[in-house]
Amino acid sequence: MADPARIAVLLSGTGSNLDAIVEHQKHTDAYRVTQVISDNPAAGGLMRAAARGIATTALPSLADMPRAAHDQAVQAVLLELDVDLVVLAGYMRILSAEFVRTFHGRMLNVHPSLLPRYRGLHTYRRALENGDLWHGTSVHFVTEELDGGPVIGQSRIPIHADDTETTLRARTQREEHRLYPLCVAAVSRGRIGVAGDARATLDGAPLDLPLDPAALANLEAPICPV
Ligand code: GRF
């Protein structure tokens, strides 16, 4: 891992998490976003990256292009750039097994639910329909199981009686913007890792529960000699 770690962000949409991750660079020397890649040439996130002077690549998936062929094109760019970590931030593609294996332990995703609840789409709607009292967001290592990899961090918020999908999404995304940069920093520093496909580790020991933003921020704090 380079110091700072070289990060590629993959996105398909707005890029608010990209913004949060790049903004956090003002507070950490653990990583630098060196490349943003999108399958959607019109993604707002590509424009946000370009406005910040970050290199961008659009790799649209052509009609009838097999998933593995598109992933190989993305993989070729990532290997050429020699990135340390791949950070998925609203990347709306299911990844091929080979791509996932290539970046095992080096690829993160943020998912808008308290995993293992609500893998997949429409998490806000499902939480509201079920009358849940809590929602939140999770950052996890990517494995071949969709939204099923070892969870690193979670941030939990109460669901209000008058919440709609829109209000719940807005509050959840605010939590993502706190949580995701801290997870990226902790993995970049090598404090957080992964044991197989099952468990995240903290300083080599299995993590029993996901870390919350306060615990993750502590990992960034300077260690006081005793
Ligand atoms: C995030 O809310 C994340 O949970 C989901 O995709 C969304 C991307 O949002 N995986 P943005 O493009 O970062 O604003």
Side-chain angles (χ1 to χ4, degrees):
M1 186 98 66
D3 184 13
R6 295 163 57 80
I7 307 284
V9 174
L10 271 54
L11 51 76
S12 304
T14 315
S16 69
N17 279 283
L18 165 74
D19 259 351
I21 290 165
V22 176
E23 274 299 303
H24 190 67
Q25 292 177 178
K26 293 176 183 161
H27 310 288
T28 185
D29 57 5
Y31 66 83
R32 292 292 176 260
V33 175
T34 56
Q35 183 78 31
V36 174
I37 298 175
S38 182
D39 59 322
N40 171 16
L46 283 180
M47 280 174 268
R48 290 186 194 229
R52 290 176 176 277
I54 299 169
T56 62
T57 307
L59 286 170
S61 179
L62 308 174
D64 300 330
M65 191 176 191
R67 183 190 303 162
H70 184 264
D71 284 357
Q72 276 166 15
V74 176
Q75 187 172 319
V77 173
L78 294 171
L79 296 179
E80 170 73 24
L81 293 166
D82 196 21
V83 299
D84 295 302
L85 286 184
V86 178
V87 170
L88 308 182
Y91 189 57
M92 300 304 288
R93 296 182 62 84
I94 294 176
L95 298 165
S96 59
E98 193 211 329
F99 188 90
V100 171
R101 272 197 299 273
T102 301
F103 297 102
H104 180 258
R106 299 194 292 138
M107 180 154 57
L108 309 183
N109 184 41
V110 62
H111 181 74
S113 78
L114 296 171
L115 292 171
R117 273 175 94 72
Y118 307 132
R119 294 176 184 175
L121 298 173
H122 308 304
T123 62
Y124 306 110
R125 187 188 312 165
R126 288 152 73 198
L128 291 170
E129 282 173 358
N130 282 338
D132 289 359
L133 298 178
W134 295 89
H135 197 64
T137 183
S138 307
V139 173
H140 63 94
F141 284 104
V142 176
T143 61
E144 285 178 47
E145 200 180 343
L146 182 67
D147 301 324
V151 178
I152 300 165
Q154 279 184 339
S155 191
R156 212 163 78 116
I157 53 170
I159 295 182
H160 301 157
D162 59 353
D163 259 330
T164 62
E165 281 187 63
T166 305
T167 59
L168 188 54
R169 177 185 293 111
R171 290 209 317 290
T172 304
Q173 286 197 324
R174 279 207 291 277
E175 294 307 306
E176 292 185 340
H177 301 159
R178 294 171 65 211
L179 181 73
Y180 209 3
L182 293 167
C183 291
V184 172
V187 176
S188 297
R189 286 198 194 286
R191 302 287 310 267
I192 300 278
V194 68
D197 267 2
R199 280 283 191 85
T201 56
L202 171 59
D203 297 334
L207 200 57
D208 291 327
L209 290 170
L211 298 169
D212 65 16
L216 284 156
N218 272 337
L219 298 182
E220 279 264 56
I223 298 166
C224 301
V226 283

